[in-house]
Amino acid sequence: MHALSIADIEHATLVGGSCRTEAKGRAFAETYDCEWYSETEPMLEATEPDVLIVCTPSGAHLEPTITAADHGVDVLCEKPLEITTDRIDEMVATADAAGITLGGVFQQRFTDLLGKVHEAAVDSRFGQLSVANAYVPGGATTSTTTGRGKGPRSLTAAVR
């Protein structure tokens, strides 16, 4: 999804993808016309991106973020930022110390389904709410995946 979104942004180019699984990484690189790297650091050194998009599994976001900060590269990180508040605090402190921007992704926020839920909440159709949680099986709604295949589950991407 990130690679497809990058392709839609004028003046943005996906320049590399880092994936520990060579077959998946090479397939991603071929599909999205970029270079594959087995590790984040060599990718950052070779591509000199403006932004690193961290799409690794939850619990594996800290390390590529620190690597990006060491290279002065801004980070856009999939949710959750990390799995413990200590790791999140370390990510934020590292980003602040390096003077980079650290952003988090929550792309489900603008789906049709959540728009309808928001509308219902605003119209008080649920009564008085104090907390609302929702789970979307499979991690995505049909509207966010129609016509698009799923890529590697462990990926970081460099964008210039």
Side-chain angles (χ1 to χ4, degrees):
M1 294 302 295
H2 290 283
L4 293 170
S5 296
I6 292 163
D8 287 342
I9 300 171
E10 189 175 352
H11 306 297
T13 304
L14 179 63
V15 294
S18 170
C19 181
R20 293 171 299 193
T21 307
E22 184 173 353
K24 288 180 182 179
R26 288 193 185 280
F28 176 87
E30 184 176 319
T31 300
Y32 298 105
D33 193 30
C34 64
E35 296 295 320
W36 166 74
Y37 299 87
S38 61
E39 300 290 333
T40 302
E41 186 155 14
M43 178 179 65
L44 295 177
E45 290 170 357
T47 62
E48 299 181 1
D50 298 317
V51 177
L52 179 72
I53 301 174
V54 178
C55 305
T56 53
S58 296
H61 296 166
L62 174 63
E63 293 76 12
T65 299
I66 289 172
T67 302
D70 290 344
H71 286 81
V73 175
D74 294 331
V75 174
L76 181 60
C77 186
E78 262 297 342
K79 64 181 181 327
L81 283 182
E82 255 301 343
I83 59 171
T84 69
T85 54
D86 288 342
R87 288 176 68 87
I88 292 169
D89 290 345
E90 187 174 350
M91 288 173 73
V92 171
T94 299
D96 287 347
I100 66 162
T101 299
L102 171 62
V105 174
F106 188 63
Q107 76 280 7
Q108 295 293 329
R109 176 175 305 153
F110 299 106
T111 63
D112 292 340
L113 174 63
L114 290 183
K116 292 181 188 317
V117 171
H118 175 74
E119 213 174 272
V122 168
D123 292 343
S124 298
R125 295 194 334 233
F126 302 119
Q128 173 111 14
L129 293 177
S130 57
V131 174
N133 287 310
Y135 171 72
V136 179
T141 64
T142 304
S143 65
T144 62
T145 59
T146 301
R148 299 177 179 170
K150 291 190 177 188
R153 304 287 283 162
S154 178
L155 173 77
T156 54
V159 181
R160 193 167 342 123

